[in-house]
Amino acid sequence: MKIRGAPAIGIAAAYGIVLALENFLEQEIDSPYRYFFDQNEEVKQFKNSSVKIGDMRKVTLEASHVLEQTRPTAVNLFWAIGRMRSVIGDESITQPLSMARRLFKEAVDIYYQELDQEFAIGEYGATLIENGMNILTHCNAGGLATAGYGTALGVLYRAQEMGKKFSVFADETRPLLQGARLTAWEMSQRDIPVTVLCESAHPSLFAADMVDAVIVGADRIAANGDVVNKVGTLGLAVMCEKYGKPFYVAAPSSTIDFSIERGDQIPIEIRPDEEVTFYNGKRTAPPSAGVYNPAFDCTPAELINAIITESCVITNPSRNDIKSMLEGNS
Amino acid sequence: MKIRGAPAIGIAAAYGIVLALENFLEQEIDSPYRYFFDQNEEVKQFKNSSVKIGDMRKVTLEASHVLEQTRPTAVNLFWAIGRMRSVIGDESITQPLSMARRLFKEAVDIYYQELDQEFAIGEYGATLIENGMNILTHCNAGGLATAGYGTALGVLYRAQEMGKKFSVFADETRPLLQGARLTAWEMSQRDIPVTVLCESAHPSLFAADMVDAVIVGADRIAANGDVVNKVGTLGLAVMCEKYGKPFYVAAPSSTIDFSIERGDQIPIEIRPDEEVTFYNGKRTAPPSAGVYNPAFDCTPAELINAIITESCVITNPSRNDIKSMLEGNS
């Protein structure tokens, strides 16, 4: 949990594989990292070393297996690792230096591609934000969770850049308070008016007609449009249905896992009890009590008004074919 | 917030008026408290003192005005203070000692009446609890919030006494964690299996069909059956509606305020920002963020399957006449 947020996890895994390679190469070569990107540097040291490309493949593949075990839910992790493995397994790469440079380039590409996608998501999503709106978001799907701009929050940033005025409700997002700690901070940094509340106060906001729309990110989206995201997301979608407000999900299309048919088939990470029973070192529940602490929940597609991707806005994902909409716009 | 829970607040206010009287009498009489209840004690000291019944009325009335300002939402406070004021204003009481004893007796009566009502609520409510049920409760409506047995939790205690086996989900109840700190502790004391969760995990429980019923207390109920209770209650009622589970409220009939037609007319206490932005002395949100921290919300009667009182179970309060049901059973 030092790194969180689906896009950030994917990018970190790609760079993690590069770091594993760098650590390995350091045994043979002084400052191996500079060879990754300096085309003009004499590569004698690399060529004179006894580094074998087979060992490089082995070390990076091992690192990819370790990284794969860190978080089960966000698909970006597996997607980014999959891209790195394609390079690791590419038999057309025969030189150690080429392999190092190709792996580094792949990680950089993943990072820039994610960032570009976030800008594109912001562009599409900002059309849904109107002047004077009060927008509720959950957890943190901003720069601190992504390549640096944000998915759900990127939409708000783009709307702000377009001159739209709106205010944001950021729920605190128990147990780890990403909403209070991260989203409220990001909003404050950009001078977007933000109000923090406990999740328990969501229904009051809806009942008092103080929310015009909800926008969240996603950790994994099934082929049918069901969205797995931070626990509590489902409750907001149910509130939107009950009170007739739009519920939006902002995520790159790489978050959609077409290998999984329905959201209830996506594994949900169960986090440690102590996240709930301790806070800031102080126990908050009796030791004899059990704990239920899922990190994510699944929102069925029929509760979602739109999934905002980098290539199109998928409206009513339960009634539209997601794959053909994406292909029609790619 | 040293005393919380609607019934406990009412009882504490009644005893608070007695304490104000005792403090006043101590200026004139040694250990005045013993005269309140010892019928055989020589009352010479009282008679020889210069205490005037008019001053006693003034002091207790003043105390009642101070106590009335402490919490705006729970009706039990105003109900208990009203009963004490009836005694204070009773012109048939002419002797200082009689006034002292009558006020003390009224506070004791309020306490025992509440306790009796809690046992009766438990008796009615336990019929709704079935073997093997998983029951979700919110905040704390147990012995720590009442005369000592509980309203919502009294129902569970009575069911346990009748030999029923069930398990309880206690949400932590942000921001003050009454569920994790108090309800989970009460359950543990009585060996009822209890699992603590964040409010954000409610929807996951319902989606996984892990909850069979929700039972909560109430701070004030309007004449039409709308229930004001701890913030977050409305969200649970909406979840019950969405997932087809029963939603029960357990409260003495004194919680029903027939002078208020609808729940949205009941004042909702707004609590200090710091309850949300600090925890255990540590800041959890940026200082520039606003805070929305209502202590209660209002659940419309049509989302409530039954209100369990000491004299009857009011089923479907939105479709039945609450007053006539109570009168028919009193």
Side-chain angles (χ1 to χ4, degrees):
Chain A
M1 288 296 285
K2 297 287 177 190
I3 296 160
R4 33 73 52 198
I9 288 170
I11 294 163
Y15 279 100
I17 290 169
V18 174
L19 280 172
L21 178 62
E22 189 187 344
N23 288 340
F24 167 74
L25 292 175
E26 268 179 352
Q27 296 161 19
E28 302 279 345
I29 303 160
D30 179 48
S31 305
Y33 189 65
R34 64 195 160 112
Y35 296 107
F36 289 9
F37 51 93
D38 190 340
Q39 296 287 335
N40 301 318
E41 182 79 23
E42 171 125 25
V43 295
K44 199 166 49 181
Q45 208 187 346
F46 227 111
K47 285 182 175 160
N48 290 346
S49 76
S50 60
V51 170
K52 289 185 180 56
I53 194 162
D55 292 337
M56 290 171 70
R57 288 198 162 99
K58 185 162 169 283
V59 156
T60 49
L61 212 54
E62 279 170 5
S64 78
H65 289 302
V66 171
L67 288 160
E68 195 175 41
Q69 301 299 318
T70 50
R71 304 291 301 275
T73 302
V75 75
N76 309 58
L77 176 65
F78 310 111
W79 170 84
I81 287 174
R83 280 187 54 167
M84 296 300 281
R85 282 187 188 153
S86 296
V87 177
I88 296 168
D90 183 347
E91 296 194 0
S92 75
I93 307 170
T94 55
Q95 296 301 314
L97 183 59
S98 302
M99 176 59 83
R101 286 178 171 169
R102 281 289 305 280
L103 281 170
F104 179 66
K105 183 178 180 302
E106 195 69 14
V108 173
D109 282 354
I110 288 171
Y111 164 69
Y112 277 109
Q113 183 183 325
E114 286 278 356
L115 193 59
D116 282 347
Q117 287 178 350
E118 288 162 27
F119 290 134
I121 289 168
E123 204 67 41
Y124 278 110
T127 60
L128 302 167
I129 308 300
E130 291 163 26
N131 259 318
M133 267 191 171
N134 295 307
I135 298 148
L136 174 56
T137 188
H138 182 54
C139 197
N140 174 263
L144 296 170
T146 60
Y149 192 65
T151 51
L153 299 193
V155 166
L156 304 183
Y157 297 149
R158 187 66 195 118
Q160 186 194 34
E161 287 157 14
M162 291 162 72
K164 297 183 181 183
K165 303 283 183 200
F166 53 89
S167 73
V168 171
F169 288 107
D171 69 49
E172 58 176 12
T173 317
R174 283 283 292 155
L176 296 182
L177 305 175
Q178 293 96 333
R181 292 187 296 113
L182 309 180
T183 295
W185 180 84
E186 285 199 34
M187 294 294 117
S188 300
Q189 291 301 103
R190 297 208 182 217
D191 292 324
I192 296 174
V194 63
T195 299
V196 174
L197 64 149
C198 296
E199 272 100 320
S200 53
H202 283 157
S204 302
L205 278 185
F206 283 93
D209 201 15
M210 289 163 73
V211 175
D212 300 304
V214 170
I215 186 163
V216 297
D219 289 84
R220 197 183 318 194
I221 301 175
N224 72 342
D226 293 350
V227 167
V228 166
N229 188 47
K230 173 61 51 191
V231 68
T233 300
L234 171 57
L236 285 171
V238 170
M239 285 295 144
C240 282
E241 181 190 43
K242 171 84 180 165
Y243 291 94
K245 302 296 175 186
F247 182 84
Y248 301 128
V249 175
S253 60
S254 57
T255 309
I256 306 172
D257 184 350
F258 287 106
S259 77
I260 288 199
E261 199 187 335
R262 297 187 323 272
D264 59 9
Q265 299 163 323
I266 295 171
I268 300 290
E269 180 178 3
I270 301 294
R271 303 276 313 159
D273 293 0
E274 291 70 26
E275 287 183 357
V276 178
T277 56
F278 281 87
Y279 189 80
N280 197 12
K282 186 170 179 173
R283 179 170 270 287
T284 56
S288 55
V291 175
Y292 175 64
N293 186 24
F296 306 97
D297 64 23
C298 175
T299 299
E302 59 265 27
L303 296 181
I304 298 165
N305 292 74
I307 300 173
I308 305 156
T309 75
E310 76 283 1
S311 60
C312 64
V313 176
I314 303 164
T315 52
N316 300 311
S318 65
R319 297 201 300 274
N320 286 310
D321 185 74
I322 294 174
K323 202 159 198 167
S324 62
M325 285 190 79
L326 284 174
E327 282 164 359
N329 287 274
S330 62
Chain B
M1 287 297 285
K2 297 287 178 190
I3 296 160
R4 33 73 51 200
I9 287 169
I11 294 163
Y15 279 100
I17 290 169
V18 173
L19 280 172
L21 179 61
E22 190 189 344
N23 287 341
F24 167 73
L25 291 175
E26 267 179 350
Q27 296 162 19
E28 303 278 346
I29 302 159
D30 179 47
S31 303
Y33 188 65
R34 64 197 161 109
Y35 297 105
F36 289 9
F37 52 93
D38 190 339
Q39 297 288 335
N40 300 316
E41 183 77 24
E42 171 123 25
V43 295
K44 199 165 50 179
Q45 208 188 346
F46 226 112
K47 285 181 174 161
N48 289 347
S49 78
S50 60
V51 171
K52 289 183 181 58
I53 194 162
D55 291 337
M56 290 171 70
R57 287 197 163 100
K58 185 163 170 284
V59 156
T60 49
L61 212 54
E62 279 171 4
S64 79
H65 288 301
V66 171
L67 289 160
E68 195 174 40
Q69 301 300 318
T70 50
R71 303 291 301 274
T73 302
V75 75
N76 310 58
L77 177 65
F78 310 110
W79 170 83
I81 286 174
R83 281 186 55 167
M84 297 301 281
R85 281 187 188 153
S86 297
V87 177
I88 296 167
D90 183 348
E91 295 194 359
S92 76
I93 307 171
T94 55
Q95 295 302 314
L97 183 58
S98 302
M99 177 58 83
R101 285 178 171 169
R102 281 289 305 279
L103 282 170
F104 180 66
K105 183 177 179 303
E106 195 69 15
V108 173
D109 282 355
I110 288 171
Y111 165 68
Y112 277 109
Q113 183 183 323
E114 286 278 357
L115 193 58
D116 282 347
Q117 287 178 350
E118 288 163 25
F119 290 133
I121 289 168
E123 204 67 41
Y124 278 110
T127 60
L128 302 167
I129 308 300
E130 290 163 27
N131 260 319
M133 267 190 171
N134 295 307
I135 298 148
L136 174 57
T137 187
H138 183 54
C139 196
N140 174 263
L144 296 171
T146 60
Y149 192 65
T151 51
L153 299 193
V155 166
L156 303 183
Y157 296 150
R158 187 66 195 118
Q160 186 194 35
E161 287 157 14
M162 292 162 71
K164 297 183 182 184
K165 303 282 183 201
F166 52 89
S167 73
V168 171
F169 288 105
D171 69 49
E172 58 174 12
T173 318
R174 283 284 292 156
L176 297 182
L177 305 175
Q178 293 95 334
R181 292 188 296 113
L182 309 180
T183 295
W185 180 84
E186 285 199 34
M187 294 294 116
S188 300
Q189 292 300 105
R190 297 208 181 217
D191 292 324
I192 296 174
V194 62
T195 299
V196 174
L197 64 149
C198 297
E199 271 100 321
S200 54
H202 283 158
S204 302
L205 278 185
F206 283 93
D209 201 16
M210 289 164 72
V211 176
D212 299 304
V214 170
I215 186 163
V216 297
D219 289 83
R220 196 183 319 194
I221 301 175
N224 73 340
D226 293 350
V227 167
V228 166
N229 188 46
K230 174 60 52 190
V231 68
T233 300
L234 171 58
L236 285 171
V238 171
M239 285 294 144
C240 282
E241 181 190 43
K242 171 84 181 165
Y243 292 94
K245 302 296 174 185
F247 182 84
Y248 301 129
V249 174
S253 59
S254 58
T255 309
I256 306 172
D257 184 351
F258 287 106
S259 76
I260 287 198
E261 198 186 336
R262 298 188 322 273
D264 59 8
Q265 299 163 322
I266 294 172
I268 300 290
E269 181 178 2
I270 301 294
R271 303 276 312 160
D273 293 359
E274 290 70 25
E275 287 183 357
V276 178
T277 56
F278 281 88
Y279 189 80
N280 196 12
K282 187 169 178 174
R283 179 171 271 286
T284 57
S288 54
V291 175
Y292 176 64
N293 186 23
F296 306 96
D297 64 24
C298 175
T299 299
E302 60 265 27
L303 296 181
I304 299 165
N305 292 73
I307 300 172
I308 305 155
T309 75
E310 75 284 1
S311 59
C312 64
V313 175
I314 303 164
T315 51
N316 301 312
S318 65
R319 296 201 299 274
N320 285 309
D321 186 75
I322 295 173
K323 203 160 199 168
S324 62
M325 285 190 79
L326 285 173
E327 282 164 359
N329 287 275
S330 63

